[in-house]
Amino acid sequence: MKSISMKQKHQTYRNLSRAHRARRGSTLLVVIALLAILALMGVVFYTFSSQERSNAENFADAAINEADPGLQADALFNWG
């Protein structure tokens, strides 16, 4: 059996340590990317839900205005 010197063992440990540090850095990047994607999904969900709420309120107001025969088109579209 071939004996490995202490210097070779140290060199091998240093190479493994560098690989471990590089892998740890890439894991950090993946985690940050996933968090960014989740944050973006949250913002998109909030945007769509607030727009949907606004649309629902407008639809409800339109249904109330349509059912009320006392309103005239001239009063609704008088912007002057």
Side-chain angles (χ1 to χ4, degrees), residues 15-66:
N15 289 340
L16 288 175
S17 179
R18 285 182 189 155
H20 185 259
R21 279 183 276 163
R23 184 176 47 208
R24 190 171 39 186
S26 63
T27 304
L28 179 63
L29 289 176
V30 168
V31 168
I32 289 173
L34 287 174
L35 286 174
I37 289 170
L38 287 173
L40 179 65
M41 287 175 57
V43 168
V44 168
F45 176 77
Y46 175 76
T47 303
F48 281 137
S49 64
S50 65
Q51 184 64 42
E52 184 66 27
R53 180 180 176 177
S54 174
N55 290 341
E57 288 174 355
N58 291 338
F59 183 78
D61 290 343
I64 291 171
N65 291 337
E66 188 175 305

mmCIF file of all heavy atoms in Angstrom, residues 15-66:
data_model
loop_
_atom_site.group_PDB
_atom_site.id
_atom_site.type_symbol
_atom_site.label_atom_id
_atom_site.label_comp_id
_atom_site.label_asym_id
_atom_site.label_seq_id
_atom_site.Cartn_x
_atom_site.Cartn_y
_atom_site.Cartn_z
ATOM 1 N N ASN A 15 -8.496 21.254 -1.347
ATOM 2 C CA ASN A 15 -9.305 21.159 -2.568
ATOM 3 C C ASN A 15 -10.764 20.850 -2.228
ATOM 4 O O ASN A 15 -11.680 21.409 -2.820
ATOM 5 C CB ASN A 15 -8.748 20.089 -3.500
ATOM 6 C CG ASN A 15 -7.428 20.508 -4.130
ATOM 7 O OD1 ASN A 15 -7.107 21.693 -4.176
ATOM 8 N ND2 ASN A 15 -6.675 19.544 -4.605
ATOM 9 N N LEU A 16 -10.985 19.946 -1.273
ATOM 10 C CA LEU A 16 -12.347 19.639 -0.857
ATOM 11 C C LEU A 16 -12.997 20.847 -0.199
ATOM 12 O O LEU A 16 -14.178 21.115 -0.376
ATOM 13 C CB LEU A 16 -12.354 18.453 0.101
ATOM 14 C CG LEU A 16 -12.070 17.087 -0.513
ATOM 15 C CD1 LEU A 16 -11.998 16.027 0.579
ATOM 16 C CD2 LEU A 16 -13.116 16.729 -1.538
ATOM 17 N N SER A 17 -12.215 21.589 0.559
ATOM 18 C CA SER A 17 -12.736 22.765 1.233
ATOM 19 C C SER A 17 -13.174 23.819 0.218
ATOM 20 O O SER A 17 -14.215 24.440 0.368
ATOM 21 C CB SER A 17 -11.685 23.329 2.177
ATOM 22 O OG SER A 17 -12.164 24.480 2.809
ATOM 23 N N ARG A 18 -12.390 24.006 -0.846
ATOM 24 C CA ARG A 18 -12.764 24.961 -1.892
ATOM 25 C C ARG A 18 -14.038 24.522 -2.592
ATOM 26 O O ARG A 18 -14.923 25.327 -2.869
ATOM 27 C CB ARG A 18 -11.638 25.087 -2.914
ATOM 28 C CG ARG A 18 -10.469 25.880 -2.438
ATOM 29 C CD ARG A 18 -9.427 26.010 -3.503
ATOM 30 N NE ARG A 18 -8.224 26.603 -2.965
ATOM 31 C CZ ARG A 18 -7.024 26.431 -3.455
ATOM 32 N NH1 ARG A 18 -6.853 25.649 -4.505
ATOM 33 N NH2 ARG A 18 -5.985 27.007 -2.907
ATOM 34 N N ALA A 19 -14.154 23.255 -2.880
ATOM 35 C CA ALA A 19 -15.354 22.742 -3.538
ATOM 36 C C ALA A 19 -16.569 22.912 -2.628
ATOM 37 O O ALA A 19 -17.655 23.266 -3.089
ATOM 38 C CB ALA A 19 -15.163 21.276 -3.903
ATOM 39 N N HIS A 20 -16.375 22.677 -1.347
ATOM 40 C CA HIS A 20 -17.479 22.830 -0.397
ATOM 41 C C HIS A 20 -17.915 24.286 -0.312
ATOM 42 O O HIS A 20 -19.115 24.590 -0.276
ATOM 43 C CB HIS A 20 -17.056 22.317 0.977
ATOM 44 C CG HIS A 20 -18.151 22.332 1.976
ATOM 45 N ND1 HIS A 20 -18.266 23.317 2.918
ATOM 46 C CD2 HIS A 20 -19.200 21.503 2.166
ATOM 47 C CE1 HIS A 20 -19.329 23.096 3.644
ATOM 48 N NE2 HIS A 20 -19.920 21.995 3.218
ATOM 49 N N ARG A 21 -16.969 25.208 -0.290
ATOM 50 C CA ARG A 21 -17.319 26.623 -0.234
ATOM 51 C C ARG A 21 -18.038 27.063 -1.501
ATOM 52 O O ARG A 21 -18.980 27.835 -1.448
ATOM 53 C CB ARG A 21 -16.069 27.476 -0.014
ATOM 54 C CG ARG A 21 -15.659 27.522 1.447
ATOM 55 C CD ARG A 21 -14.496 28.420 1.639
ATOM 56 N NE ARG A 21 -13.303 27.604 1.328
ATOM 57 C CZ ARG A 21 -12.122 28.078 1.072
ATOM 58 N NH1 ARG A 21 -11.902 29.348 1.074
ATOM 59 N NH2 ARG A 21 -11.106 27.272 0.820
ATOM 60 N N ALA A 22 -17.605 26.577 -2.653
ATOM 61 C CA ALA A 22 -18.258 26.930 -3.917
ATOM 62 C C ALA A 22 -19.686 26.385 -3.943
ATOM 63 O O ALA A 22 -20.615 27.052 -4.396
ATOM 64 C CB ALA A 22 -17.466 26.385 -5.091
ATOM 65 N N ARG A 23 -19.865 25.173 -3.443
ATOM 66 C CA ARG A 23 -21.201 24.578 -3.416
ATOM 67 C C ARG A 23 -22.099 25.344 -2.443
ATOM 68 O O ARG A 23 -23.273 25.564 -2.710
ATOM 69 C CB ARG A 23 -21.105 23.110 -3.017
ATOM 70 C CG ARG A 23 -22.430 22.403 -3.048
ATOM 71 C CD ARG A 23 -22.313 20.951 -2.745
ATOM 72 N NE ARG A 23 -21.487 20.740 -1.571
ATOM 73 C CZ ARG A 23 -20.783 19.655 -1.349
ATOM 74 N NH1 ARG A 23 -20.790 18.673 -2.214
ATOM 75 N NH2 ARG A 23 -20.060 19.531 -0.256
ATOM 76 N N ARG A 24 -21.550 25.763 -1.329
ATOM 77 C CA ARG A 24 -22.326 26.512 -0.345
ATOM 78 C C ARG A 24 -22.765 27.845 -0.939
ATOM 79 O O ARG A 24 -23.882 28.289 -0.733
ATOM 80 C CB ARG A 24 -21.480 26.726 0.908
ATOM 81 C CG ARG A 24 -22.254 27.266 2.052
ATOM 82 C CD ARG A 24 -21.476 27.273 3.315
ATOM 83 N NE ARG A 24 -20.086 27.643 3.103
ATOM 84 C CZ ARG A 24 -19.152 27.609 4.034
ATOM 85 N NH1 ARG A 24 -19.458 27.204 5.231
ATOM 86 N NH2 ARG A 24 -17.923 27.961 3.768
ATOM 87 N N GLY A 25 -21.917 28.474 -1.713
ATOM 88 C CA GLY A 25 -22.273 29.737 -2.362
ATOM 89 C C GLY A 25 -23.363 29.561 -3.401
ATOM 90 O O GLY A 25 -24.261 30.384 -3.527
ATOM 91 N N SER A 26 -23.291 28.481 -4.154
ATOM 92 C CA SER A 26 -24.320 28.241 -5.159
ATOM 93 C C SER A 26 -25.650 27.914 -4.496
ATOM 94 O O SER A 26 -26.710 28.295 -5.004
ATOM 95 C CB SER A 26 -23.899 27.120 -6.109
ATOM 96 O OG SER A 26 -23.754 25.901 -5.417
ATOM 97 N N THR A 27 -25.634 27.244 -3.372
ATOM 98 C CA THR A 27 -26.874 26.965 -2.638
ATOM 99 C C THR A 27 -27.499 28.266 -2.163
ATOM 100 O O THR A 27 -28.726 28.435 -2.237
ATOM 101 C CB THR A 27 -26.588 26.050 -1.438
ATOM 102 O OG1 THR A 27 -25.958 24.859 -1.903
ATOM 103 C CG2 THR A 27 -27.845 25.706 -0.701
ATOM 104 N N LEU A 28 -26.686 29.176 -1.698
ATOM 105 C CA LEU A 28 -27.188 30.478 -1.266
ATOM 106 C C LEU A 28 -27.850 31.212 -2.427
ATOM 107 O O LEU A 28 -28.932 31.803 -2.268
ATOM 108 C CB LEU A 28 -26.054 31.319 -0.687
ATOM 109 C CG LEU A 28 -26.414 32.715 -0.206
ATOM 110 C CD1 LEU A 28 -27.403 32.629 0.946
ATOM 111 C CD2 LEU A 28 -25.165 33.461 0.199
ATOM 112 N N LEU A 29 -27.257 31.167 -3.597
ATOM 113 C CA LEU A 29 -27.839 31.814 -4.768
ATOM 114 C C LEU A 29 -29.181 31.183 -5.141
ATOM 115 O O LEU A 29 -30.134 31.892 -5.495
ATOM 116 C CB LEU A 29 -26.878 31.742 -5.947
ATOM 117 C CG LEU A 29 -25.641 32.624 -5.849
ATOM 118 C CD1 LEU A 29 -24.725 32.389 -7.043
ATOM 119 C CD2 LEU A 29 -26.046 34.077 -5.772
ATOM 120 N N VAL A 30 -29.273 29.870 -5.059
ATOM 121 C CA VAL A 30 -30.528 29.191 -5.384
ATOM 122 C C VAL A 30 -31.615 29.584 -4.391
ATOM 123 O O VAL A 30 -32.758 29.865 -4.770
ATOM 124 C CB VAL A 30 -30.324 27.655 -5.412
ATOM 125 C CG1 VAL A 30 -31.649 26.924 -5.445
ATOM 126 C CG2 VAL A 30 -29.457 27.260 -6.589
ATOM 127 N N VAL A 31 -31.282 29.643 -3.115
ATOM 128 C CA VAL A 31 -32.262 30.014 -2.091
ATOM 129 C C VAL A 31 -32.722 31.457 -2.296
ATOM 130 O O VAL A 31 -33.924 31.758 -2.217
ATOM 131 C CB VAL A 31 -31.683 29.810 -0.677
ATOM 132 C CG1 VAL A 31 -32.557 30.447 0.384
ATOM 133 C CG2 VAL A 31 -31.497 28.329 -0.407
ATOM 134 N N ILE A 32 -31.818 32.355 -2.585
ATOM 135 C CA ILE A 32 -32.179 33.754 -2.815
ATOM 136 C C ILE A 32 -33.060 33.871 -4.055
ATOM 137 O O ILE A 32 -34.039 34.626 -4.072
ATOM 138 C CB ILE A 32 -30.919 34.630 -2.922
ATOM 139 C CG1 ILE A 32 -30.265 34.756 -1.546
ATOM 140 C CG2 ILE A 32 -31.242 36.007 -3.481
ATOM 141 C CD1 ILE A 32 -28.944 35.458 -1.540
ATOM 142 N N ALA A 33 -32.743 33.121 -5.108
ATOM 143 C CA ALA A 33 -33.559 33.149 -6.322
ATOM 144 C C ALA A 33 -34.971 32.637 -6.046
ATOM 145 O O ALA A 33 -35.957 33.215 -6.526
ATOM 146 C CB ALA A 33 -32.895 32.324 -7.419
ATOM 147 N N LEU A 34 -35.086 31.568 -5.267
ATOM 148 C CA LEU A 34 -36.412 31.043 -4.930
ATOM 149 C C LEU A 34 -37.211 32.040 -4.094
ATOM 150 O O LEU A 34 -38.422 32.210 -4.299
ATOM 151 C CB LEU A 34 -36.288 29.707 -4.203
ATOM 152 C CG LEU A 34 -35.873 28.523 -5.073
ATOM 153 C CD1 LEU A 34 -35.639 27.289 -4.204
ATOM 154 C CD2 LEU A 34 -36.920 28.238 -6.122
ATOM 155 N N LEU A 35 -36.563 32.693 -3.161
ATOM 156 C CA LEU A 35 -37.250 33.712 -2.363
ATOM 157 C C LEU A 35 -37.710 34.880 -3.232
ATOM 158 O O LEU A 35 -38.801 35.420 -3.032
ATOM 159 C CB LEU A 35 -36.338 34.214 -1.245
ATOM 160 C CG LEU A 35 -36.128 33.247 -0.083
ATOM 161 C CD1 LEU A 35 -35.087 33.810 0.888
ATOM 162 C CD2 LEU A 35 -37.432 32.996 0.644
ATOM 163 N N ALA A 36 -36.892 35.267 -4.191
ATOM 164 C CA ALA A 36 -37.282 36.347 -5.100
ATOM 165 C C ALA A 36 -38.486 35.943 -5.945
ATOM 166 O O ALA A 36 -39.401 36.749 -6.161
ATOM 167 C CB ALA A 36 -36.098 36.731 -5.994
ATOM 168 N N ILE A 37 -38.501 34.699 -6.415
ATOM 169 C CA ILE A 37 -39.638 34.214 -7.206
ATOM 170 C C ILE A 37 -40.906 34.199 -6.353
ATOM 171 O O ILE A 37 -41.981 34.612 -6.808
ATOM 172 C CB ILE A 37 -39.331 32.823 -7.786
ATOM 173 C CG1 ILE A 37 -38.275 32.940 -8.886
ATOM 174 C CG2 ILE A 37 -40.587 32.153 -8.334
ATOM 175 C CD1 ILE A 37 -37.729 31.617 -9.359
ATOM 176 N N LEU A 38 -40.802 33.742 -5.115
ATOM 177 C CA LEU A 38 -41.972 33.731 -4.230
ATOM 178 C C LEU A 38 -42.464 35.147 -3.938
ATOM 179 O O LEU A 38 -43.677 35.391 -3.880
ATOM 180 C CB LEU A 38 -41.641 33.003 -2.931
ATOM 181 C CG LEU A 38 -41.531 31.480 -3.042
ATOM 182 C CD1 LEU A 38 -41.041 30.894 -1.722
ATOM 183 C CD2 LEU A 38 -42.856 30.885 -3.432
ATOM 184 N N ALA A 39 -41.540 36.077 -3.744
ATOM 185 C CA ALA A 39 -41.936 37.470 -3.504
ATOM 186 C C ALA A 39 -42.635 38.046 -4.734
ATOM 187 O O ALA A 39 -43.650 38.752 -4.612
ATOM 188 C CB ALA A 39 -40.716 38.306 -3.144
ATOM 189 N N LEU A 40 -42.130 37.743 -5.914
ATOM 190 C CA LEU A 40 -42.750 38.215 -7.149
ATOM 191 C C LEU A 40 -44.150 37.627 -7.302
ATOM 192 O O LEU A 40 -45.093 38.335 -7.678
ATOM 193 C CB LEU A 40 -41.885 37.846 -8.349
ATOM 194 C CG LEU A 40 -42.421 38.267 -9.707
ATOM 195 C CD1 LEU A 40 -42.471 39.783 -9.808
ATOM 196 C CD2 LEU A 40 -41.581 37.677 -10.809
ATOM 197 N N MET A 41 -44.296 36.352 -6.988
ATOM 198 C CA MET A 41 -45.619 35.723 -7.060
ATOM 199 C C MET A 41 -46.591 36.382 -6.081
ATOM 200 O O MET A 41 -47.773 36.571 -6.398
ATOM 201 C CB MET A 41 -45.505 34.227 -6.773
ATOM 202 C CG MET A 41 -44.885 33.449 -7.907
ATOM 203 S SD MET A 41 -44.608 31.717 -7.523
ATOM 204 C CE MET A 41 -46.232 31.165 -7.082
ATOM 205 N N GLY A 42 -46.124 36.751 -4.898
ATOM 206 C CA GLY A 42 -46.963 37.445 -3.926
ATOM 207 C C GLY A 42 -47.412 38.809 -4.433
ATOM 208 O O GLY A 42 -48.573 39.186 -4.273
ATOM 209 N N VAL A 43 -46.506 39.546 -5.045
ATOM 210 C CA VAL A 43 -46.852 40.864 -5.583
ATOM 211 C C VAL A 43 -47.859 40.729 -6.721
ATOM 212 O O VAL A 43 -48.829 41.487 -6.805
ATOM 213 C CB VAL A 43 -45.579 41.606 -6.053
ATOM 214 C CG1 VAL A 43 -45.919 42.839 -6.874
ATOM 215 C CG2 VAL A 43 -44.726 41.985 -4.859
ATOM 216 N N VAL A 44 -47.657 39.747 -7.579
ATOM 217 C CA VAL A 44 -48.589 39.532 -8.693
ATOM 218 C C VAL A 44 -49.960 39.133 -8.158
ATOM 219 O O VAL A 44 -50.994 39.633 -8.629
ATOM 220 C CB VAL A 44 -48.030 38.464 -9.664
ATOM 221 C CG1 VAL A 44 -49.078 38.001 -10.653
ATOM 222 C CG2 VAL A 44 -46.818 39.014 -10.401
ATOM 223 N N PHE A 45 -49.999 38.256 -7.172
ATOM 224 C CA PHE A 45 -51.279 37.862 -6.584
ATOM 225 C C PHE A 45 -51.989 39.056 -5.966
ATOM 226 O O PHE A 45 -53.196 39.239 -6.155
ATOM 227 C CB PHE A 45 -51.072 36.770 -5.531
ATOM 228 C CG PHE A 45 -52.335 36.389 -4.820
ATOM 229 C CD1 PHE A 45 -53.266 35.574 -5.432
ATOM 230 C CD2 PHE A 45 -52.593 36.867 -3.552
ATOM 231 C CE1 PHE A 45 -54.440 35.233 -4.786
ATOM 232 C CE2 PHE A 45 -53.763 36.539 -2.898
ATOM 233 C CZ PHE A 45 -54.694 35.718 -3.526
ATOM 234 N N TYR A 46 -51.262 39.884 -5.238
ATOM 235 C CA TYR A 46 -51.866 41.064 -4.628
ATOM 236 C C TYR A 46 -52.411 42.007 -5.697
ATOM 237 O O TYR A 46 -53.513 42.561 -5.558
ATOM 238 C CB TYR A 46 -50.851 41.795 -3.748
ATOM 239 C CG TYR A 46 -51.392 43.088 -3.199
ATOM 240 C CD1 TYR A 46 -52.302 43.088 -2.157
ATOM 241 C CD2 TYR A 46 -51.023 44.311 -3.749
ATOM 242 C CE1 TYR A 46 -52.823 44.275 -1.658
ATOM 243 C CE2 TYR A 46 -51.537 45.493 -3.268
ATOM 244 C CZ TYR A 46 -52.432 45.469 -2.225
ATOM 245 O OH TYR A 46 -52.952 46.641 -1.744
ATOM 246 N N THR A 47 -51.669 42.210 -6.765
ATOM 247 C CA THR A 47 -52.106 43.099 -7.840
ATOM 248 C C THR A 47 -53.390 42.591 -8.480
ATOM 249 O O THR A 47 -54.345 43.347 -8.675
ATOM 250 C CB THR A 47 -50.996 43.231 -8.892
ATOM 251 O OG1 THR A 47 -49.810 43.714 -8.263
ATOM 252 C CG2 THR A 47 -51.395 44.181 -10.003
ATOM 253 N N PHE A 48 -53.407 41.301 -8.812
ATOM 254 C CA PHE A 48 -54.601 40.742 -9.441
ATOM 255 C C PHE A 48 -55.796 40.758 -8.495
ATOM 256 O O PHE A 48 -56.917 41.053 -8.915
ATOM 257 C CB PHE A 48 -54.347 39.313 -9.918
ATOM 258 C CG PHE A 48 -53.586 39.236 -11.208
ATOM 259 C CD1 PHE A 48 -52.566 38.322 -11.356
ATOM 260 C CD2 PHE A 48 -53.886 40.057 -12.271
ATOM 261 C CE1 PHE A 48 -51.862 38.241 -12.542
ATOM 262 C CE2 PHE A 48 -53.194 39.987 -13.459
ATOM 263 C CZ PHE A 48 -52.172 39.081 -13.598
ATOM 264 N N SER A 49 -55.587 40.453 -7.238
ATOM 265 C CA SER A 49 -56.716 40.423 -6.301
ATOM 266 C C SER A 49 -57.262 41.819 -6.055
ATOM 267 O O SER A 49 -58.484 41.994 -5.950
ATOM 268 C CB SER A 49 -56.312 39.752 -4.995
ATOM 269 O OG SER A 49 -55.313 40.494 -4.342
ATOM 270 N N SER A 50 -56.418 42.827 -5.964
ATOM 271 C CA SER A 50 -56.928 44.193 -5.770
ATOM 272 C C SER A 50 -57.656 44.678 -7.022
ATOM 273 O O SER A 50 -58.681 45.369 -6.917
ATOM 274 C CB SER A 50 -55.792 45.144 -5.400
ATOM 275 O OG SER A 50 -54.872 45.256 -6.458
ATOM 276 N N GLN A 51 -57.174 44.297 -8.194
ATOM 277 C CA GLN A 51 -57.872 44.665 -9.431
ATOM 278 C C GLN A 51 -59.223 43.952 -9.514
ATOM 279 O O GLN A 51 -60.223 44.547 -9.930
ATOM 280 C CB GLN A 51 -57.016 44.313 -10.650
ATOM 281 C CG GLN A 51 -57.626 44.752 -11.962
ATOM 282 C CD GLN A 51 -57.760 46.254 -12.063
ATOM 283 O OE1 GLN A 51 -56.869 46.989 -11.688
ATOM 284 N NE2 GLN A 51 -58.889 46.716 -12.567
ATOM 285 N N GLU A 52 -59.263 42.705 -9.103
ATOM 286 C CA GLU A 52 -60.519 41.952 -9.109
ATOM 287 C C GLU A 52 -61.528 42.564 -8.140
ATOM 288 O O GLU A 52 -62.720 42.651 -8.435
ATOM 289 C CB GLU A 52 -60.250 40.496 -8.744
ATOM 290 C CG GLU A 52 -61.461 39.599 -8.817
ATOM 291 C CD GLU A 52 -62.004 39.417 -10.218
ATOM 292 O OE1 GLU A 52 -61.213 39.533 -11.167
ATOM 293 O OE2 GLU A 52 -63.206 39.165 -10.365
ATOM 294 N N ARG A 53 -61.051 42.999 -6.986
ATOM 295 C CA ARG A 53 -61.949 43.651 -6.024
ATOM 296 C C ARG A 53 -62.516 44.945 -6.601
ATOM 297 O O ARG A 53 -63.711 45.223 -6.474
ATOM 298 C CB ARG A 53 -61.197 43.928 -4.728
ATOM 299 C CG ARG A 53 -62.054 44.594 -3.696
ATOM 300 C CD ARG A 53 -61.301 44.854 -2.424
ATOM 301 N NE ARG A 53 -62.161 45.596 -1.503
ATOM 302 C CZ ARG A 53 -61.812 45.919 -0.310
ATOM 303 N NH1 ARG A 53 -60.649 45.555 0.168
ATOM 304 N NH2 ARG A 53 -62.625 46.595 0.452
ATOM 305 N N SER A 54 -61.670 45.718 -7.236
ATOM 306 C CA SER A 54 -62.128 46.958 -7.852
ATOM 307 C C SER A 54 -63.155 46.674 -8.950
ATOM 308 O O SER A 54 -64.175 47.371 -9.059
ATOM 309 C CB SER A 54 -60.924 47.712 -8.428
ATOM 310 O OG SER A 54 -61.328 48.842 -9.146
ATOM 311 N N ASN A 55 -62.898 45.656 -9.753
ATOM 312 C CA ASN A 55 -63.850 45.290 -10.805
ATOM 313 C C ASN A 55 -65.182 44.844 -10.209
ATOM 314 O O ASN A 55 -66.245 45.171 -10.737
ATOM 315 C CB ASN A 55 -63.278 44.178 -11.683
ATOM 316 C CG ASN A 55 -62.136 44.665 -12.548
ATOM 317 O OD1 ASN A 55 -61.968 45.860 -12.767
ATOM 318 N ND2 ASN A 55 -61.337 43.737 -13.032
ATOM 319 N N ALA A 56 -65.149 44.088 -9.122
ATOM 320 C CA ALA A 56 -66.376 43.623 -8.482
ATOM 321 C C ALA A 56 -67.172 44.801 -7.919
ATOM 322 O O ALA A 56 -68.410 44.837 -8.034
ATOM 323 C CB ALA A 56 -66.050 42.624 -7.384
ATOM 324 N N GLU A 57 -66.487 45.766 -7.320
ATOM 325 C CA GLU A 57 -67.184 46.943 -6.795
ATOM 326 C C GLU A 57 -67.823 47.749 -7.927
ATOM 327 O O GLU A 57 -68.969 48.202 -7.804
ATOM 328 C CB GLU A 57 -66.214 47.821 -6.011
ATOM 329 C CG GLU A 57 -65.799 47.229 -4.685
ATOM 330 C CD GLU A 57 -64.724 48.044 -3.987
ATOM 331 O OE1 GLU A 57 -64.219 49.028 -4.582
ATOM 332 O OE2 GLU A 57 -64.390 47.696 -2.844
ATOM 333 N N ASN A 58 -67.104 47.916 -9.022
ATOM 334 C CA ASN A 58 -67.658 48.640 -10.169
ATOM 335 C C ASN A 58 -68.866 47.907 -10.745
ATOM 336 O O ASN A 58 -69.852 48.536 -11.140
ATOM 337 C CB ASN A 58 -66.595 48.842 -11.244
ATOM 338 C CG ASN A 58 -65.520 49.808 -10.822
ATOM 339 O OD1 ASN A 58 -65.726 50.632 -9.937
ATOM 340 N ND2 ASN A 58 -64.355 49.708 -11.447
ATOM 341 N N PHE A 59 -68.790 46.584 -10.822
ATOM 342 C CA PHE A 59 -69.902 45.806 -11.343
ATOM 343 C C PHE A 59 -71.121 45.928 -10.436
ATOM 344 O O PHE A 59 -72.253 46.083 -10.912
ATOM 345 C CB PHE A 59 -69.490 44.332 -11.471
ATOM 346 C CG PHE A 59 -70.549 43.456 -12.068
ATOM 347 C CD1 PHE A 59 -70.783 43.454 -13.433
ATOM 348 C CD2 PHE A 59 -71.328 42.650 -11.258
ATOM 349 C CE1 PHE A 59 -71.765 42.659 -13.985
ATOM 350 C CE2 PHE A 59 -72.317 41.849 -11.795
ATOM 351 C CZ PHE A 59 -72.529 41.852 -13.166
ATOM 352 N N ALA A 60 -70.895 45.883 -9.127
ATOM 353 C CA ALA A 60 -72.008 46.024 -8.186
ATOM 354 C C ALA A 60 -72.627 47.414 -8.281
ATOM 355 O O ALA A 60 -73.867 47.558 -8.255
ATOM 356 C CB ALA A 60 -71.531 45.743 -6.769
ATOM 357 N N ASP A 61 -71.811 48.437 -8.397
ATOM 358 C CA ASP A 61 -72.331 49.795 -8.548
ATOM 359 C C ASP A 61 -73.119 49.946 -9.846
ATOM 360 O O ASP A 61 -74.150 50.617 -9.889
ATOM 361 C CB ASP A 61 -71.196 50.823 -8.513
ATOM 362 C CG ASP A 61 -70.575 50.963 -7.136
ATOM 363 O OD1 ASP A 61 -71.215 50.524 -6.159
ATOM 364 O OD2 ASP A 61 -69.443 51.494 -7.051
ATOM 365 N N ALA A 62 -72.638 49.322 -10.909
ATOM 366 C CA ALA A 62 -73.342 49.390 -12.191
ATOM 367 C C ALA A 62 -74.691 48.690 -12.097
ATOM 368 O O ALA A 62 -75.683 49.158 -12.675
ATOM 369 C CB ALA A 62 -72.505 48.772 -13.292
ATOM 370 N N ALA A 63 -74.752 47.577 -11.382
ATOM 371 C CA ALA A 63 -76.021 46.867 -11.230
ATOM 372 C C ALA A 63 -77.008 47.701 -10.422
ATOM 373 O O ALA A 63 -78.205 47.734 -10.720
ATOM 374 C CB ALA A 63 -75.785 45.518 -10.558
ATOM 375 N N ILE A 64 -76.533 48.393 -9.410
ATOM 376 C CA ILE A 64 -77.418 49.258 -8.606
ATOM 377 C C ILE A 64 -77.915 50.422 -9.456
ATOM 378 O O ILE A 64 -79.106 50.751 -9.445
ATOM 379 C CB ILE A 64 -76.679 49.764 -7.351
ATOM 380 C CG1 ILE A 64 -76.439 48.620 -6.383
ATOM 381 C CG2 ILE A 64 -77.462 50.877 -6.682
ATOM 382 C CD1 ILE A 64 -75.522 48.983 -5.232
ATOM 383 N N ASN A 65 -77.033 51.041 -10.218
ATOM 384 C CA ASN A 65 -77.416 52.174 -11.059
ATOM 385 C C ASN A 65 -78.360 51.750 -12.171
ATOM 386 O O ASN A 65 -79.245 52.508 -12.568
ATOM 387 C CB ASN A 65 -76.194 52.852 -11.650
ATOM 388 C CG ASN A 65 -75.374 53.575 -10.605
ATOM 389 O OD1 ASN A 65 -75.896 53.935 -9.552
ATOM 390 N ND2 ASN A 65 -74.104 53.772 -10.881
ATOM 391 N N GLU A 66 -78.182 50.563 -12.691
ATOM 392 C CA GLU A 66 -79.038 50.078 -13.767
ATOM 393 C C GLU A 66 -80.440 49.767 -13.242
ATOM 394 O O GLU A 66 -81.439 49.946 -13.933
ATOM 395 C CB GLU A 66 -78.425 48.826 -14.400
ATOM 396 C CG GLU A 66 -79.133 48.349 -15.653
ATOM 397 C CD GLU A 66 -78.404 47.187 -16.278
ATOM 398 O OE1 GLU A 66 -77.205 47.328 -16.554
ATOM 399 O OE2 GLU A 66 -79.042 46.148 -16.478
#
